[in-house]
Amino acid sequence: MYEFVDACLDEELRGRYPTADSEPAVDVYRAGLGEAQAAHQAFVEAVHGGGLGAARVAWGELVSIADRWRGHPDFPGLAVRALRTEEDR
Protein backbone atom coordinates (compact mmCIF):
# COMPACT_ATOMS: atom_id res chain seq x y z
CA MET A 1 0.00 0.00 0.00
CA TYR A 2 2.83 2.37 0.89
CA GLU A 3 4.46 1.86 -2.51
CA PHE A 4 1.19 2.76 -4.23
CA VAL A 5 0.82 5.99 -2.21
CA ASP A 6 4.47 6.87 -2.86
CA ALA A 7 4.02 6.35 -6.62
CA CYS A 8 0.84 8.46 -6.70
CA LEU A 9 2.51 11.28 -4.78
CA ASP A 10 5.41 11.13 -7.25
CA GLU A 11 2.97 11.36 -10.17
CA GLU A 12 1.29 14.39 -8.64
CA LEU A 13 4.59 16.11 -8.01
CA ARG A 14 5.76 15.50 -11.58
CA GLY A 15 2.48 16.97 -12.80
CA ARG A 16 2.96 20.15 -10.79
CA TYR A 17 6.73 20.58 -11.07
CA PRO A 18 8.48 22.51 -12.43
CA THR A 19 6.25 25.52 -12.42
CA ALA A 20 6.93 29.16 -11.75
CA ASP A 21 6.16 28.49 -8.10
CA SER A 22 7.05 24.86 -7.40
CA GLU A 23 7.71 25.17 -3.69
CA PRO A 24 4.07 24.61 -2.65
CA ALA A 25 3.94 21.42 -4.75
CA VAL A 26 7.13 20.15 -3.12
CA ASP A 27 5.77 21.02 0.33
CA VAL A 28 2.54 19.09 -0.35
CA TYR A 29 4.58 16.13 -1.61
CA ARG A 30 6.85 16.11 1.44
CA ALA A 31 3.92 16.35 3.86
CA GLY A 32 2.03 13.54 2.14
CA LEU A 33 5.09 11.35 1.91
CA GLY A 34 5.95 11.94 5.56
CA GLU A 35 2.42 10.98 6.61
CA ALA A 36 2.55 7.80 4.51
CA GLN A 37 6.02 6.90 5.78
CA ALA A 38 4.92 7.32 9.40
CA ALA A 39 1.85 5.11 8.91
CA HIS A 40 3.91 2.50 7.07
CA GLN A 41 6.58 2.48 9.78
CA ALA A 42 3.94 2.15 12.49
CA PHE A 43 2.40 -0.77 10.59
CA VAL A 44 5.75 -2.55 10.18
CA GLU A 45 6.68 -2.06 13.83
CA ALA A 46 3.28 -3.28 15.01
CA VAL A 47 3.45 -6.39 12.83
CA HIS A 48 6.97 -7.22 13.99
CA GLY A 49 6.00 -6.56 17.58
CA GLY A 50 2.91 -8.72 17.40
CA GLY A 51 0.50 -5.85 17.96
CA LEU A 52 -2.39 -6.81 15.71
CA GLY A 53 -4.61 -3.98 16.92
CA ALA A 54 -1.92 -1.37 16.34
CA ALA A 55 -1.18 -2.90 12.93
CA ARG A 56 -4.83 -2.57 11.94
CA VAL A 57 -4.88 1.06 13.03
CA ALA A 58 -1.73 1.87 11.06
CA TRP A 59 -3.03 -0.07 8.04
CA GLY A 60 -6.27 1.91 8.28
CA GLU A 61 -4.24 5.12 8.16
CA LEU A 62 -2.46 3.93 5.01
CA VAL A 63 -5.76 2.95 3.41
CA SER A 64 -7.23 6.36 4.29
CA ILE A 65 -4.31 8.07 2.59
CA ALA A 66 -4.59 5.80 -0.46
CA ASP A 67 -8.38 6.27 -0.74
CA ARG A 68 -7.65 9.58 -2.41
CA TRP A 69 -6.60 7.56 -5.48
CA ARG A 70 -9.29 4.86 -5.28
CA GLY A 71 -10.11 5.41 -8.98
CA HIS A 72 -6.49 4.86 -10.03
CA PRO A 73 -6.08 1.73 -12.17
CA ASP A 74 -3.27 0.47 -9.91
CA PHE A 75 -5.20 0.94 -6.67
CA PRO A 76 -4.41 -2.10 -4.48
CA GLY A 77 -8.05 -2.92 -3.78
CA LEU A 78 -7.47 -6.61 -3.10
CA ALA A 79 -5.11 -5.81 -0.24
CA VAL A 80 -7.66 -3.43 1.26
CA ARG A 81 -10.49 -5.93 0.94
CA ALA A 82 -8.34 -8.71 2.40
CA LEU A 83 -7.63 -6.74 5.55
CA ARG A 84 -11.20 -5.54 5.94
CA THR A 85 -12.44 -9.10 5.50
CA GLU A 86 -9.99 -10.22 8.20
CA GLU A 87 -11.28 -7.48 10.53
CA ASP A 88 -14.86 -8.64 10.06
CA ARG A 89 -14.12 -12.21 11.17
Side-chain angles (χ1 to χ4, degrees):
M1 184 65 68
Y2 169 76
E3 292 81 8
F4 170 75
V5 171
D6 184 30
C8 287
L9 287 168
D10 286 346
E11 283 179 23
E12 284 186 351
L13 180 60
R14 282 192 302 275
R16 296 179 186 153
Y17 184 90
T19 63
D21 185 16
S22 296
E23 191 61 33
V26 173
D27 290 343
V28 169
Y29 169 80
R30 287 180 181 153
L33 185 61
E35 182 182 2
Q37 286 173 334
H40 176 72
Q41 185 63 34
F43 175 74
V44 169
E45 289 174 1
V47 168
H48 286 288
L52 185 56
R56 285 185 176 147
V57 169
W59 182 257
E61 290 174 16
L62 276 171
V63 170
S64 293
I65 295 166
D67 273 344
R68 184 171 149 197
W69 298 283
R70 186 167 287 279
H72 193 284
D74 296 329
F75 183 79
L78 292 177
V80 172
R81 281 195 299 271
L83 184 67
R84 288 186 178 156
T85 300
E86 181 67 28
E87 287 177 353
D88 294 336
R89 291 183 189 166

